[in-house]
Amino acid sequence: MIVRIMGEGQVTVDESHLAELDKLDDELLTEMESGEEAGFRRTLTALLDAVRRLGTPLPDDSLEPSQLILPASDATLEEVRELLGDEGLIPG
C-alpha cells in the first residue's frame, strides 16, 4: 500500500505491517479523545516513525495514488482531528 506523509512524500508499506500501524493509530485516537498534547505528540511521532521504518520511499518525482494520508509530524491536535474518520487515520 502507498502511504503519503504530508510534507514528506510517499512510501510503500507492505500490508503485513498494518496490524502494527493500526495499533499505533488506535493509541493516537485515544490520545486525541483525551486531548492530552504530550501523549498525542508522542504517539503521532511513533506512528510516523513506524511508517518511515517499515516503508520504502518512492522516488521524489513519483506521484502515485495514496491509500493512506498521514499528517505531517508538526501537525497540531486540531489539524489531525480534521483528518480523522470514525476509524482513525488508518481505516480497518
Side-chain angles (χ1 to χ4, degrees):
M1 99 171 41
I2 297 176
V3 180
R4 172 175 296 285
I5 299 176
M6 296 172 70
E8 290 186 34
Q10 295 177 301
V11 297
T12 301
V13 177
D14 191 277
E15 291 194 22
S16 65
H17 299 297
L18 270 180
E20 179 179 348
L21 298 178
D22 195 42
K23 181 177 182 251
L24 289 166
D25 185 49
D26 289 346
E27 291 174 23
L28 184 65
L29 191 56
T30 299
E31 298 293 348
M32 298 284 301
E33 290 169 354
S34 75
E36 204 266 304
E37 181 73 30
F40 158 76
R41 183 70 40 213
R42 180 180 55 251
T43 307
L44 177 60
T45 298
L47 175 61
L48 296 176
D49 286 348
V51 169
R52 292 181 194 111
R53 176 176 46 85
L54 299 170
T56 303
L58 292 176
D60 289 338
D61 61 349
S62 175
L63 184 57
E64 301 295 326
S66 300
Q67 284 81 23
L68 296 175
I69 299 176
L70 299 177
S73 59
D74 62 350
T76 66
L77 194 119
E78 202 53 46
E79 290 170 333
V80 176
R81 275 195 180 116
E82 291 175 15
L83 292 174
L84 283 174
D86 292 337
E87 298 181 28
L89 292 169
I90 301 173

